[in-house]
Amino acid sequence: MTATRISSRVGAVSPSATLAVDARAKALRAEGEDVIGFGAGEPDFPTPEHIVAAAEAACRDPRNHKYTPTSGLPELKEAIAAKTLRDSGLRVSASQVLVTNGGKHAIANTFATLCDPGDEVLVPAPYWTSYPEAIRLAGGVPVAVPTGVESGFRTTVEQLDQALTHRTKVLLFVSPSNPTGAVYPRRDIELIGRWAARRGLWVVADEIYEHLVYGLAEHCSMPVVVPDIADRCVVVNGVAKTYAMTGWRVGWMIGPADVIAAASNLQSHETSNVANISQRAALAAVEGDLRAVGEMRAAFDRRRQTITSMLNEIVGVDCLEPEGAFYVFPSVSGLLGREFRGRRPSTSAELAELAIDEAKVAVVPGEAFGAPGYFRMSYALGDDHLVEGMSRLAKLFG
Ligand code: GLU
């Protein structure tokens, strides 16, 4: 038998659609095209000055030129534990923290540490594009639990119960949600958390958008609302979204000490410690106050309202006002099958192609999130760009 050049495990991985759309937009821009990017979720703000200054100083300190413990700088782990208590009320020790190369790496580590081959992970859909791949790479089986507009893209205990089998090990719980912007109220979190505890499931709670909630919505952390789940819960978080630090690549996972120790062993062979300069920057971020995110939240809130109303003005588009994160998830099914500029897109993927080709507007099609018929649009771009991009879409689809 001839061996394949690429392993079947890695050969089955598709490229990240969010990063692919972002890369295409940036490449077109480099060629001089005037592209408006609603693709990747990346704040348009620069990282706050005191964080950058801490990184600059760190470069000059020879201690940061050497390996540090795989699991992270001890003072950063302490600061993450303190920040977690401050922000969500979850009390953890530094030994329960593993610092990772961004939230995405925390997710990959978590599923690699929890899943045996065939273990099923319940993944409410629409879901962020990288979750199923991380689960599959770990040998697990992602089981999508579809939700729709009628429930505000929130799942229920009844739906989860129906998806449960004797192989279910983990529930992935994301609030505020990427890609829909849904935020679960405390009562729902309590019901879902208690259900998971009763069923003996693990919960992976992705809280990367914890500070980006609007209006009356509030972020609640599942292991705080349901302490019974804490011994089988991993919380994923990072500095990217709260402090506009996507490029610094610092995230973390928080969980029971045995899970963190095992994940740390794994990371010791994979990547070792996260770059010290980034860790020092993250330390300045989490030790500091939340003023910068307060300012960004006010801007996102304004953009959220603008984009939702501009989307709903387009006939054939239907958009719920999101309560968190910085994404809208409009249904575009009313546009499918219609003719625009000589083309007749029949899927949201084809419609997204049309938008970039004809209006130079980049969006991520719902197919990437297990929800064809939708677009995901990040509103973490400047107000002027947002209005310009929306005007172009309105003209194209008008
Ligand atoms: N979390 C962001 C997004 O969904 C960053 C890009 C990515 O890594 O997917 O757009």
Side-chain angles (χ1 to χ4, degrees), residues 30-206:
E31 285 166 18
E33 297 275 12
D34 175 21
V35 175
I36 308 276
F38 293 96
E42 181 166 57
D44 61 318
F45 301 97
T47 301
E49 188 43 45
H50 71 283
I51 299 174
V52 177
E56 267 173 356
C59 288
R60 302 267 160 226
D61 181 348
R63 282 180 310 157
N64 297 318
H65 303 171
K66 307 288 181 201
Y67 295 127
T68 50
T70 292
S71 61
L73 290 170
E75 50 272 59
L76 176 57
K77 295 199 301 176
E78 290 288 351
I80 290 169
K83 165 251 166 288
T84 304
L85 183 62
R86 175 194 70 187
D87 294 352
S88 74
L90 183 65
R91 187 177 291 279
V92 292
S93 69
S95 63
Q96 291 180 261
V97 178
L98 169 60
V99 181
T100 60
N101 285 281
K104 198 179 276 190
H105 187 213
I107 288 160
N109 273 348
T110 300
F111 287 117
T113 305
L114 293 181
C115 290
D116 272 319
D119 283 346
E120 292 177 2
V121 180
L122 300 179
V123 182
Y127 45 72
W128 178 51
T129 192
S130 292
Y131 294 130
E133 299 292 8
I135 294 165
R136 276 192 281 266
L137 277 169
V141 178
V143 176
V145 181
T147 69
V149 185
E150 51 316 321
S151 67
F153 297 112
R154 290 186 282 261
T155 191
T156 61
V157 164
E158 291 68 36
Q159 284 178 310
L160 294 170
D161 217 34
Q162 271 176 17
L164 196 76
T165 75
H166 69 286
R167 293 309 310 258
T168 311
K169 180 166 183 188
V170 184
L171 164 67
L172 173 63
F173 186 76
V174 188
S175 177
S177 156
N178 174 3
T180 65
V183 179
Y184 284 75
R186 177 179 291 269
R187 178 73 188 138
D188 290 16
I189 294 178
E190 193 178 340
L191 291 172
I192 293 171
R194 282 209 197 135
W195 169 84
R198 258 196 329 273
R199 301 288 183 185
L201 298 181
W202 284 79
V203 173
V204 175
D206 189 339

Side-chain angles (χ1 to χ4, degrees), residues 287-341:
E287 272 186 337
D289 60 30
L290 294 168
R291 215 174 30 218
V293 69
E295 285 162 17
M296 289 192 282
R297 184 172 46 235
F300 293 145
D301 191 8
R302 186 176 66 237
R303 297 169 190 175
R304 166 183 82 110
Q305 295 173 41
T306 307
I307 196 168
T308 307
S309 66
M310 288 186 86
L311 280 163
N312 282 322
E313 277 166 22
I314 301 175
V315 177
V317 177
D318 207 357
C319 187
L320 266 190
E321 189 169 88
E323 295 186 306
F326 39 53
Y327 306 103
V328 274
F329 204 70
S331 164
V332 292
S333 56
L335 298 175
L336 302 180
R338 286 169 47 188
E339 187 176 322
F340 306 102
R341 313 257 169 106

